[in-house]
Amino acid sequence: MKTQYTKLIMMLSLLVGVWACDNYEQPPVVDTPPSITLRPITSGLVEGQDFRMEVVLSDGVEGSTISTLESLSYDFIRGGAVVLSGSEVLTGDNATVTISVPGGFEPGDYTLDLTVRDTNGNATSTVRSFTVASLRPAFDITGTWQMEPVAGSLAVGPGPGNGEWFSISQADVTTRACYYDDTYTFGADGTFTIEMGDQTWLETWQGVGSDQCGTPVAPFDGSGTYQYSYAGNSLTVSGEGAFIGLAKVHNAGEISNGVPAQDEITYTIVDPVQDGNTRRMTLRIEAGSGVWWDFKLISGEIGGVDEVSIVGDWKMEPVAGSFGVGPTEGSTEWFANSAADVTTRACFFDDVYTFGADGSFSYEMGTQTWLEAWQGVASDACGAPVAPHDGKGTYSYTFDGTSLTLIGEGAHVALPKAVNAGELPNVEVPDSVTYKVISLTESGGVKKMTLHIETGSGVWWTFKLISE
């Protein structure tokens, strides 16, 4: 009897255990939408470049096997319009997808809209914006160009921008008029043409007895078929006889020195600028080793400098290189002011030079201007103006479009020491000073003027002024 009772108790205990197991509370199921981690290549994108973006996906909590990834869909949007759509099939808990767009996108601002779905029907979306930049250079060179008919537009020296060996004078610009009317045209389709007319400037290596105007000589006569390419600040012309500036100059050297002609020449574009409808740029090239040529070109209305009025108030242009000196016209090999000098010499850069419509000239320095040791100060510094260069005299001027003469003791522009006979105090203070007007332009109501003066023999100063 006791044994049967014991068995009954054991059976009831087993039933209770089974019942307890059947009613044990399971942990809740966690079903989370998929998460997205973007690893985009969206910075520095340029037109024509393949677009790539890695999309790292995961679903649910760590270790969860409740659902798996199913699909990815995407839209590339520009200006509110979808320009490209696509989708990818996904499987597993993680995936890395690379979206490649052969040929890349056109320049502009874009939005990438991504949506990821899992096998339980959950979806997660994210948006990423990016910009595709243009490969087209910021400075447009398409159109027709000529060598700028000013002194220094053609120069060569032992370093970049150095015209120590040769820099063309204003007189030479007139002598070589047959050269300065040659045109170079860059087509929007990549074509390049040269037009010389009946005459251009020839040198003895081209078979003439002396350097002179003459009939263009093949293959440098503009009769070929040429192309050009332009990216960044690099300009390349190609085709037999293609060149800009001087036919003899190319990257390997100079033809006049026995170096063979090249079918391709690359120039560096320096200081491109646009003033209204007029564009300017300097093309720089190293012809072999240590021979640096500069060619200054202009596109648009050239005209004479006398077409812009000199009347008005002027100051030194507050930029690096606004005044400098060198051994040849236009050269600043020996000295050129820096941007820091503009601040240090603020008392000089605020001096005002006024040309009246009646031929009167005056200058106003205020209480301070820049003084040098020859004016009686211990060191170069700002100080009270020193007579006769203190603006208290009576002055006048004459201007014929290319030559500017200031009349009156102490009359000057920029540095009072720079006079025609030499530099003060090595010479007497003159009653007049004459400058060469190299350029006088106006754009947007602002006029700019560049003056050259040879102080004695072989000492050339350049002064750049801007109107108020």
Side-chain angles (χ1 to χ4, degrees):
M1 181 71 179
K2 184 177 180 180
T3 301
Q4 291 178 345
Y5 179 76
T6 301
K7 289 182 178 179
L8 178 61
I9 294 298
M10 292 177 63
M11 291 178 64
L12 289 172
S13 297
L14 289 171
L15 287 172
V16 170
V18 170
W19 176 85
C21 290
D22 288 343
N23 289 275
Y24 178 78
E25 185 176 350
Q26 298 287 344
V29 173
V30 179
D31 184 13
T32 59
S35 63
I36 307 174
T37 302
L38 300 181
R39 295 176 182 170
I41 304 174
T42 57
S43 61
L45 287 170
V46 296
E47 64 176 310
Q49 178 182 346
D50 286 355
F51 180 94
R52 299 178 67 83
M53 175 177 285
E54 291 182 327
V55 187
V56 181
L57 315 166
S58 61
D59 186 51
V61 297
E62 183 176 356
S64 171
T65 58
I66 296 171
S67 64
T68 59
L69 298 172
E70 183 177 65
S71 65
L72 162 71
S73 60
Y74 55 86
D75 292 318
F76 289 97
I77 302 168
R78 181 185 182 194
V82 176
V83 296
L84 181 67
S85 296
S87 62
E88 299 282 344
V89 175
L90 306 176
T91 58
D93 295 327
N94 294 278
T96 299
V97 176
T98 299
I99 302 171
S100 180
V101 182
F105 291 115
E106 294 182 358
D109 296 323
Y110 290 84
T111 299
L112 173 59
D113 191 343
L114 287 166
T115 300
V116 180
R117 294 177 175 80
D118 66 17
T119 53
N120 281 348
N122 297 309
T124 298
S125 297
T126 188
V127 175
R128 178 63 58 91
S129 296
F130 62 94
T131 299
V132 177
S134 175
L135 266 179
R136 300 179 182 92
F139 185 71
D140 181 19
I141 68 169
T142 57
T144 300
W145 296 76
Q146 295 172 242
M147 289 291 295
E148 187 169 9
V150 296
S153 58
L154 182 67
V156 61
N162 184 309
E164 176 183 347
W165 296 337
F166 171 78
S167 181
I168 198 162
S169 68
Q170 195 65 43
D172 288 333
V173 171
T174 302
T175 303
R176 304 189 189 197
C178 61
Y179 164 73
Y180 278 91
D181 64 4
D182 293 349
T183 61
Y184 310 93
T185 302
F186 302 96
D189 59 355
T191 57
F192 173 61
T193 57
I194 305 171
E195 178 55 55
M196 297 178 172
D198 296 332
Q199 298 245 308
T200 190
W201 188 255
L202 302 178
E203 297 183 336
T204 53
W205 66 271
Q206 293 174 289
V208 292
S210 61
D211 296 353
Q212 59 186 284
C213 288
T215 304
V217 178
F220 305 105
D221 58 357
S223 63
T225 300
Y226 319 121
Q227 295 79 38
Y228 78 96
S229 61
Y230 170 37
N233 66 344
S234 180
L235 170 63
T236 299
V237 295
S238 57
E240 185 183 13
F243 73 94
I244 302 170
L246 293 179
K248 69 181 179 183
V249 176
H250 55 72
N251 304 105
E254 295 182 7
I255 298 175
S256 57
N257 293 329
V259 182
Q262 307 290 303
D263 290 336
E264 184 175 278
I265 305 174
T266 298
Y267 307 86
T268 299
I269 297 178
V270 180
D271 299 329
V273 65
Q274 180 158 355
D275 292 328
N277 294 324
T278 301
R279 294 172 292 169
R280 289 179 171 85
M281 64 177 174
T282 297
L283 299 187
R284 183 165 294 163
I285 180 172
E286 185 178 19
S289 178
V291 180
W292 290 87
W293 280 93
D294 270 9
F295 305 121
K296 296 182 180 180
L297 290 94
I298 187 169
S299 177
E301 288 189 27
I302 298 177
V305 294
D306 57 346
E307 295 178 3
V308 177
S309 174
I310 199 173
V311 172
D313 297 332
W314 297 78
K315 291 183 179 181
M316 290 296 295
E317 187 171 7
V319 296
S322 60
F323 67 99
V325 63
T328 56
E329 186 171 0
S331 168
T332 56
E333 176 185 348
W334 296 338
F335 170 81
N337 73 284
S338 66
D341 290 333
V342 174
T343 301
T344 304
R345 306 190 187 200
C347 60
F348 164 71
F349 280 91
D350 66 3
D351 292 349
V352 180
Y353 311 95
T354 301
F355 298 93
D358 59 355
S360 62
F361 172 69
S362 62
Y363 58 96
E364 176 57 52
M365 296 179 165
T367 58
Q368 298 245 308
T369 191
W370 188 255
L371 301 179
E372 296 183 333
W374 66 270
Q375 292 172 290
V377 292
S379 61
D380 296 354
C382 288
V386 178
H389 304 100
D390 55 0
K392 294 181 178 180
T394 300
Y395 319 113
S396 60
Y397 76 95
T398 62
F399 175 52
D400 63 6
T402 59
S403 181
L404 171 64
T405 298
L406 306 182
I407 304 164
E409 185 184 19
H412 72 279
V413 170
L415 300 182
K417 71 179 179 183
V419 297
N420 302 107
E423 291 186 4
L424 302 177
N426 301 321
V427 296
E428 296 292 328
V429 177
D431 291 331
S432 66
V433 182
T434 298
Y435 305 87
K436 297 175 67 174
V437 181
I438 302 306
S439 65
L440 179 56
T441 61
E442 183 173 6
S443 175
V446 177
K447 294 184 284 188
K448 292 185 178 184
M449 176 167 57
T450 299
L451 305 178
H452 287 174
I453 181 172
E454 186 178 21
T455 56
S457 178
V459 180
W460 285 91
W461 281 94
T462 296
F463 302 127
K464 297 180 180 179
L465 294 94
I466 189 168
S467 66
E468 285 202 290

